[in-house]
Amino acid sequence: MNTIYSRQFRQIKTNFVALKKVIKIMYRQFSYMLTNCDSLGIYFEPLIQPLLPMWSATECRAKIIKIDKQSNNILTLTLKPNRRWKGFNPGQYVELTFEKNGKRTCRSYYIASTTSQFETNSTIDLIIQVQPTGQISTWLETGLREGQVLSLSQAKGDFILQNLEPPTLLIASNIGIIAVQSLLYQLVKNKSCNIVLLYLNDDSDLFIDRLQGIEQCYSGVKIELIDTARIDSFSKTTVETLCPDYQKRKIYLCGPINHIKPVQMVLKQLSVGSNNIHLEHFYYDFNTTLINKNKGGTVYFKNHEKKASSKKEDTILSLARRNGIKPKYGCCMGDCKLCTCQKESGIVYNIKTGKYSGAGQELINICITRPVGDVSVKL
Amino acid sequence: MKKLSEKQLSDLVADLHKIRDETLSTLGKRDAKYILDIRRLQIIFEISGRVSLMLCFIPIFWVIGVILLFISKALNNMELGHNVMHGQYDFMNHPHINSTKYEWEQLSYSDFWQYSHNFAHHTQTNLIGLDADIKFLVFRMKPDIKWKVRHLFQPLYFFVVSLLLFNPGVVLFDIKKSKKIRNIRPAVRKIRNHILKNYVLFPLLSAPLFIPVLLGNLTASILYNLWSSILIFCNHFTESTKFFTYDKNESKGEGYVRNILSSVNITGPSWFHILAGHLSFHIEHHLFPDMPSSRLKEIAPKVEAICKKYEIPYNKASLFSNYCSVIKQVFKCSFPTKNKQQPYYAQS
């Protein structure tokens, strides 16, 4: 009896899902017919949003509860996302959209708060390091105020704990400590206390008090500070002395790319299996003098799931065409805007204006842009 | 005018680029607010127009409804659609109001329109045989174009087209042009949707007033058709504009000169410019297609000064005199006149 019922129930459920899908498509067609928008919400958004800033047809929105300036270059944002936001795993990040002088700009920040904080009062904390050369972070202090509403993405990123049990080696550098301390909290909370944390830090004392508090409370947690000024001296012996049983441990590695590359090399020398390492690196302290527009990069074409690396003078358009993707294009001079598409992440160089883009989401003309490093485009 | 020397042409390019870079670097909040305000206004006009048509048992509401709908169409297609699809407001990175996402109310599907307008028209303005707008217009607007017998009936079908068939014609032309390289289904769906919405759904929603509402929608469409055709004829096909033949070695400066010579500005009050989607600053628009429409008015005097400096004719006139000139051309060119004037590039 039971099985028959469950089978019928499953049948009904699949029918229901199919019906829901059909209704969704019909609704889309209907709203497209009425308003030329994919949903009625998008059409009414310009009218509704000034009245209800937390409401949006497609995006998650969040209210700034508190802006806290902890030190000269560290800013903590406390955000309260709306119900559309689905929560996060420790170690993930969100993309915040700022509206600076009418231009929407995206930046990614790690979530520094714990999941229990989100469960109790549904707020999250983001820690932002103010870069003296940064376009956005220097503006944040004056541009943001408490009570303002921003758009944010769902939590993103694969830098999450794979397994709670085995002993772990955490290596963090600079801002990467935010993601790593989230992992540390989660591990400690789950009473898995065989942890070594190597913290490559410069003079910023971000989290050091908090981390030392954890070290004192839990006997299995060992935290080592390494000065980044001596990053060159980071070698096999450093790892071997500080964490002799590194071969047995799961390794989590997070930080800006210029710090992570040497560490990765060392781990390679130590012949640590690559499936034991979970890695996340990001571009930090983005400096146009350091990158070379002619060096090229790799482009990930999201809708085609293809990856291609560019040669010297390749634009993204020529790269796509060589790899069998047929994007729309017209004049190839950046005038007609037929080839405009959404860049998901990465930095591109604009031939026409001679400028570098930011690292977040934005619209680019692929016929006049060259990839610089890893770029992902929705094409 | 005299043909400009190499040096003058490169100076012209430098001067124009200076204006462009100065203006584009100051884009910001003001322009973003402007286009969002226009969008809000357009939505309000559209909704109130539909509602007021449904109340058309009182005749004055029918008239108000038609006018509101017409204004909404003009804003949606000319100020929003045309300009947003040019990528003028892409600097905002807005999720919906950008050149890849925005879909206008007009019959023509945005993707196809971008191909025939942004590319075929804007990069090949007034080149005989290449410019999509000249090819589309079966008219002979300049003596440069070869005369055929059908041009004798030109005045007759000029009025039919500008009253009724301008926008449907654009659609058919866009589809014809793009069908080899694109899937035409979305374009066909768009036409179906337009007919369903305006001539079935809304009349049915106001059931006892089916016919007046249908007629109201039709009138608004015709008004918009007339309005857009007048503007577009006045922008490129008056007596003062010139047609060109394709030159493979055309330099950037010569391209700018060609665009200046092939466009006309229309003078008028600021509400007129908004309803015309700032197409009335057509010379500036053709020089910098990706310049936000909210800035065209501001750079117009600077461009005019540059034209004066290089002695390039900068054509501007009122809507009325422009349209009279267009009609004169239509009649004149329906007869097999010879081309007395040499093309610009042949002059020494």
Side-chain angles (χ1 to χ4, degrees), chain B residues 107-252:
Chain B
L107 276 172
S108 186
Y109 181 53
S110 61
D111 214 15
F112 290 12
W113 160 265
Q114 277 187 324
Y115 181 75
S116 71
H117 182 77
N118 291 13
F119 174 56
H121 171 59
H122 266 272
T123 56
Q124 302 160 343
T125 315
N126 279 19
L127 289 177
I128 295 164
L130 285 172
D131 185 351
D133 280 23
I134 302 180
K135 263 207 237 169
F136 152 64
L137 295 164
V138 278
F139 312 111
R140 181 169 178 263
M141 297 301 286
K142 291 279 167 192
D144 309 48
I145 292 172
K146 212 178 147 197
W147 185 84
K148 283 177 187 150
V149 185
R150 65 154 195 255
H151 289 131
L152 276 175
F153 307 100
Q154 180 165 282
L156 196 74
Y157 60 69
F158 173 77
F159 288 103
V160 177
V161 164
S162 50
L163 253 186
L164 292 172
L165 295 175
F166 189 74
N167 288 319
V170 170
V171 180
L172 291 180
F173 179 76
D174 283 354
I175 290 180
K176 195 179 138 202
K177 203 162 167 67
S178 306
K179 77 178 171 196
K180 278 179 202 152
I181 44 171
R182 305 269 163 80
N183 182 0
I184 65 160
R185 265 183 66 191
V188 175
R189 202 189 305 148
K190 185 151 191 216
I191 299 171
R192 186 202 67 193
N193 281 345
H194 186 89
I195 294 167
L196 270 179
K197 172 186 168 186
N198 284 309
Y199 308 119
V200 180
L201 185 77
F202 278 110
L204 275 180
L205 275 177
S206 44
L209 301 162
F210 186 90
I211 293 189
V213 170
L214 189 145
L215 284 179
N217 286 340
L218 193 67
T219 317
S221 288
I222 289 174
L223 275 179
Y224 169 68
N225 199 61
L226 190 64
W227 175 244
S228 56
S229 71
I230 288 174
L231 279 175
I232 285 153
F233 279 117
C234 287
N235 281 331
H236 286 298
F237 306 118
T238 64
E239 286 165 305
S240 47
T241 60
K242 292 181 178 56
F243 278 14
F244 301 90
T245 42
Y246 177 62
D247 177 1
K248 200 167 61 183
N249 303 318
E250 187 183 69
S251 69
K252 188 122 196 161

Side-chain angles (χ1 to χ4, degrees), chain A residues 32-34 36 42-47 58 101-104 328 330-331 336-338 340 362-363, chain B residues 27-29 40 43 46-47 86 92-93 95-96 98 100 103-105 111 114 118-119 193 197 201 290:
Chain A
Y32 187 79
M33 183 181 99
L34 277 186
N36 293 313
I42 296 175
Y43 180 74
F44 287 108
E45 197 180 76
L47 290 185
T58 49
N101 192 18
K103 296 167 195 157
R104 292 163 60 106
K328 298 190 289 183
C331 64
C336 72
K337 311 277 173 184
L338 277 182
T340 307
E362 100 195 274
L363 291 165
Chain B
L27 292 187
K29 216 171 186 171
R40 276 180 209 122
I43 297 170
E46 184 167 1
I47 295 169
H86 261 296
M92 291 158 64
N93 283 317
H96 311 303
N98 65 48
T100 56
E103 183 66 55
W104 56 0
E105 197 257 0
D111 214 15
Q114 277 187 324
N118 291 13
F119 174 56
N193 281 345
K197 172 186 168 186
L201 185 77
D290 52 358

